[in-house]
Amino acid sequence: MKLEHFPLRHNLRVRYSEIDAQGVVFNAHYLTYFDTTINEAFRGSGIDWLAEVERSGCDVQLVRSLVEYKAPLHFDEAFTVGAGVSRLGRSSLTWALGVFGADGSLRATGEIVWVYADLAAKRSTPLPDWLRQRAEALPLRS
């Protein structure tokens, strides 16, 4: 897996508050990095996620998260998170993610699965056209 396989990329730097007693990024922060990258992608595309949720009464629910650690990140290290859509279902969207050091080395991979849900009914509902169209434009490249 290489950074160029991902259509979305977001640059970050490890903050002191993100490291653990071993001097490396605490494992839970990788999910925050993934979430930040996906949110920045929607922000950059002009989609007002909160307005869409308010208008529709629907939002995504996280149903799966996976992180595989390859090599640690350290304090003040610059890195890039790549994201792309690896699968679209009727009501689900699967993100493939990768964390890369400034030298291009793969530090972690991940998968996030969302299910689009009607919040009042508490059940899945088909992905809306605006989300499906946006996701179709972000395929993971091989």
Side-chain angles (χ1 to χ4, degrees):
M1 182 174 291
K2 297 181 180 176
L3 184 57
E4 56 265 18
H5 295 159
F6 296 95
L8 300 171
R9 296 176 194 143
H10 186 64
N11 297 319
L12 296 157
R13 183 174 293 278
V14 177
R15 299 173 298 178
Y16 182 76
S17 62
E18 296 166 341
I19 61 172
D20 62 17
Q22 298 170 16
V24 299
V25 171
F26 179 67
N27 57 56
H29 288 295
Y30 287 83
L31 292 171
T32 301
Y33 299 155
F34 294 164
D35 188 64
T36 299
T37 299
I38 294 168
N39 281 314
E40 289 300 323
F42 280 106
R43 180 178 290 110
S45 71
I47 292 171
D48 185 340
W49 192 273
L50 293 178
E52 289 293 338
V53 170
E54 188 173 314
R55 183 192 59 72
S56 68
C58 297
D59 199 357
V60 293
Q61 310 252 308
L62 177 69
V63 298
R64 177 178 165 84
S65 61
L66 172 71
V67 183
E68 291 187 22
Y69 305 96
K70 308 295 185 184
L73 290 168
H74 299 88
F75 171 63
D76 204 36
E77 185 175 354
F79 64 98
T80 301
V81 179
V85 174
S86 62
R87 183 181 177 283
L88 272 174
R90 181 188 74 82
S91 63
S92 66
L93 178 98
T94 302
W95 293 95
L97 300 118
V99 176
F100 298 86
D103 63 356
S105 62
L106 182 62
R107 305 302 184 83
T109 60
E111 180 182 80
I112 297 290
V113 180
W114 287 348
V115 169
Y116 197 69
D118 180 315
L119 299 176
K122 296 184 174 23
R123 68 171 192 265
S124 67
T125 190
L127 293 169
D129 289 341
W130 67 267
L131 181 53
R132 182 171 293 283
Q133 289 168 359
R134 181 67 180 127
E136 287 172 344
L138 300 171
L140 184 67
R141 302 176 188 129
S142 50

